[in-house]
Amino acid sequence: MKLNKKNILIILKECGVSDLEGNSKIGTIKNILISANNIKLEISIYNPTYNFKIKLKEDITSLINSKIDFDSKKSSLDIILLVQQKNKEINKKKIIAISSAKGGVGKSTVACNLAVSFAQKGYKVGLIDADVYGPSQHIMFDIEDQSPALDKKNNKIIPLSNYGVKILSIGNFVNQNSPVIWRGPMATKAFKQFVEDVDWSDVEYLFIDLPPGTSDIHLTLVQSLELDGAVIVSTPQKIALADVKKGIAMFKKEDISVPIIGLVENMSYYETESKKDFIFGEHGVRNVAEDYKENFLGSIPLSSSIRESCDVGRPFVLQKDTNVKNIFSSIADNIDQIINSQDNKSKKLKITNNKGCS
C-alpha cells in the first residue's frame, strides 16, 4: 500500500480507531501529517491506562510497517495519544454502578430500592437506567406515561422524578410495546447522552443500572465517568455465580479498573413462619465474596411482596418497619459507609463489618 492519508486511515480502522467521533470504542483520529516519508499521527483515545497506550502504539506501528510502503530505518513514525477528558461536572458526584453479569437476578429491583433508600437518608439521588435493551426503572418508579422535558436555557434534559429520586430511562423515549433493536454504537451513544445531556447538577449520589453481562455499555461507562465503585448483584445459584466471577474479573481488568464496593445476594432464601428455604443454594454469593476478598453487603430474601411492589411502581422500601426494608436500608448504610470512608477514588474500598446483613 502506498503511503498516503487514505491508506493510513485504513490501518487505523483495523486497530479500532475511527475518523468519526463516537463511532469507535478505542478513539478517533485527529490529525495525520505525512512529510518526506515521515508520519505523525494524533489520536484522541478514551482509555488513559499505560498498558492500553503501549499496545495501541505497537499495533499501529506493526500494521504500518507490514502493510505500508514505509522504511522505519530511514523515516520516523510519531504517534501522539491524547486522552479525552471525562465529564468533570458529573464526576463531582458519587457514582455507583449496579451490575449483574447474568440477567434475571433482580439487579434493577435492587438498584431501584437502593436509590430510594439513599433518598430516605436525605441524599439527593439520581438513577440512570442504562439497560437500553430491557429498561424497567420507568415501570418501577411509576413514570411509564411521562416524558422528560428540555431546559431550553441550558439545553439539558430534565430527568423525571418520583419518591425523591431523579430518573432517566430509555423506556420513557421508546414505544412500550416495541423492542429496542440497536447496534452497540447506538446503545453507547444513548448512554453518553444520558450522562452528558441531562441535568444532574444537584444530585449527590448517581446510581447506574447497567445491562446484564459485559458489553459496550460497560466500556463506555468507565470511559465517560469516574466511578466510585460497582455493586454486583446475583442469586446464590451456581450458574449465576459463574458469571459473577466474570463480572468481578471485568471490573478488575487494567483497562477498566473500577473498585468493587461489594456483592449483594438477591433471592437468597424464601422465609416461612418456621424456616428459611434456600431455593437457589445457600450463601453462594457470600462465599464468592470471601474467595475474592470482596465485601459482602447483604442478603435479600425471595419475596412476592418485592415483586408486587415493582409491578405497581412503588419501591418496596417505601413500606414502614418491615424486615426486607431494613435489609435494604442496611445494605445502603454499608455502601454509604464504604464510599464516604475513602479519601479519594483510587484507594481500595473496604467495609468495616464484612458480615453483611440478612
Side-chain angles (χ1 to χ4, degrees), residues 266-281:
N266 194 33
M267 306 183 219
S268 182
Y269 54 86
Y270 181 77
E271 191 167 18
T272 63
E273 292 182 0
S274 58
K275 66 171 185 175
K276 291 180 179 179
D277 188 359
F278 296 92
I279 297 172
F280 297 111

Side-chain angles (χ1 to χ4, degrees), residues 265 268-269 271 276 278 283 286 296-301 323 326-327 330-331 355-358:
E265 185 171 272
S268 182
Y269 54 86
E271 191 167 18
K276 291 180 179 179
F278 296 92
H283 304 318
R286 184 192 295 268
F296 180 69
L297 300 173
S299 300
I300 302 166
N323 180 49
N326 293 336
I327 290 172
S330 180
I331 293 173
K355 294 181 179 179
C357 51
S358 59

Side-chain angles (χ1 to χ4, degrees), residues 17-29:
V17 178
S18 171
D19 59 341
L20 297 174
E21 192 72 37
N23 283 9
S24 169
K25 294 185 289 184
I26 302 294
T28 54
I29 182 69

Side-chain angles (χ1 to χ4, degrees), residues 324-338:
V324 175
K325 173 188 167 62
N326 293 336
I327 290 172
F328 275 114
S329 182
S330 180
I331 293 173
D333 285 340
N334 286 339
I335 295 171
D336 193 26
Q337 173 202 323
I338 293 169

Side-chain angles (χ1 to χ4, degrees), residues 96 98 107-128 137 141 162-167 205-209 315 317-318 328-329 331-332 335:
I96 299 172
I98 309 297
K107 164 190 57 64
S108 294
T109 300
V110 172
C112 165
N113 283 280
L114 284 179
V116 177
S117 293
F118 270 80
Q120 290 174 333
K121 296 178 188 301
Y123 287 112
K124 295 177 180 178
V125 180
L127 173 61
I128 296 177
Q137 296 298 348
F141 278 90
N162 206 5
Y163 310 125
V165 178
K166 291 187 174 183
I167 316 112
Y205 268 97
L206 182 61
F207 290 88
I208 301 176
D209 181 12
V317 294
L318 294 172
F328 275 114
S329 182
I331 293 173
I335 295 171

Side-chain angles (χ1 to χ4, degrees), residues 58-333:
E58 288 176 348
D59 290 346
I60 293 172
T61 301
S62 175
L63 282 173
I64 287 178
N65 286 333
S66 62
K67 294 189 175 185
I68 299 288
D69 295 332
F70 175 75
D71 189 344
S72 59
K73 294 180 180 179
K74 296 180 180 180
S75 306
S76 65
L77 171 59
D78 187 13
I79 302 174
I80 301 172
L81 301 180
L82 309 169
V83 179
Q84 289 193 12
Q85 293 297 312
K86 296 184 179 181
N87 189 314
K88 292 182 179 180
E89 183 60 35
I90 200 168
N91 282 318
K92 294 178 182 177
K93 292 122 185 14
K94 296 180 175 71
I95 306 173
I96 299 172
I98 309 297
S99 173
S100 69
K102 194 170 190 64
V105 299
K107 164 190 57 64
S108 294
T109 300
V110 172
C112 165
N113 283 280
L114 284 179
V116 177
S117 293
F118 270 80
Q120 290 174 333
K121 296 178 188 301
Y123 287 112
K124 295 177 180 178
V125 180
L127 173 61
I128 296 177
D129 189 351
D131 193 350
V132 295
Y133 300 111
S136 56
Q137 296 298 348
H138 61 301
I139 299 172
M140 294 184 182
F141 278 90
D142 194 24
I143 53 172
E144 288 180 82
D145 300 325
Q146 300 180 42
S147 298
L150 178 66
D151 183 345
K152 294 182 179 179
K153 182 179 179 181
N154 299 316
N155 199 30
K156 291 276 189 179
I157 297 171
I158 302 172
L160 298 169
S161 181
N162 206 5
Y163 310 125
V165 178
K166 291 187 174 183
I167 316 112
L168 199 67
S169 170
I170 197 68
N172 294 108
F173 294 90
V174 299
N175 188 314
Q176 301 294 326
N177 298 316
S178 299
V180 178
I181 306 174
W182 287 352
R183 294 187 184 275
M186 290 182 67
T188 55
K189 187 175 181 180
F191 173 72
K192 290 182 76 171
Q193 284 188 293
F194 279 13
V195 171
E196 297 171 0
D197 298 340
V198 178
D199 183 8
W200 301 111
S201 57
D202 64 344
V203 165
E204 296 171 293
Y205 268 97
L206 182 61
F207 290 88
I208 301 176
D209 181 12
L210 287 173
T214 53
S215 67
D216 287 355
I217 293 284
H218 299 76
L219 188 58
T220 301
L221 172 68
V222 298
Q223 291 168 350
S224 306
L225 300 171
E226 293 177 8
L227 291 177
D228 286 79
V231 172
I232 299 177
V233 180
S234 178
T235 65
Q237 188 176 7
K238 186 176 181 180
I239 293 173
L241 297 178
D243 288 335
V244 167
K245 296 171 185 178
K246 296 175 185 176
I248 293 173
M250 177 192 71
F251 285 117
K252 288 187 173 182
K253 281 176 65 69
E254 288 186 7
D255 56 345
I256 292 180
S257 190
V258 171
I260 296 172
I261 297 171
L263 278 62
V264 172
E265 185 171 272
N266 194 33
M267 306 183 219
S268 182
Y269 54 86
Y270 181 77
E271 191 167 18
T272 63
E273 292 182 0
S274 58
K275 66 171 185 175
K276 291 180 179 179
D277 188 359
F278 296 92
I279 297 172
F280 297 111
E282 189 171 358
H283 304 318
V285 177
R286 184 192 295 268
N287 293 337
V288 170
E290 291 176 356
D291 290 344
Y292 282 80
K293 295 181 173 56
E294 300 295 345
N295 298 313
F296 180 69
L297 300 173
S299 300
I300 302 166
L302 178 64
S303 168
S304 60
S305 297
I306 297 177
R307 191 270 304 163
E308 290 165 0
S309 69
C310 291
D311 287 349
V312 299
R314 185 172 171 80
F316 187 88
V317 294
L318 294 172
Q319 299 187 28
K320 295 181 179 179
D321 299 325
T322 66
N323 180 49
V324 175
K325 173 188 167 62
N326 293 336
I327 290 172
F328 275 114
S329 182
S330 180
I331 293 173
D333 285 340

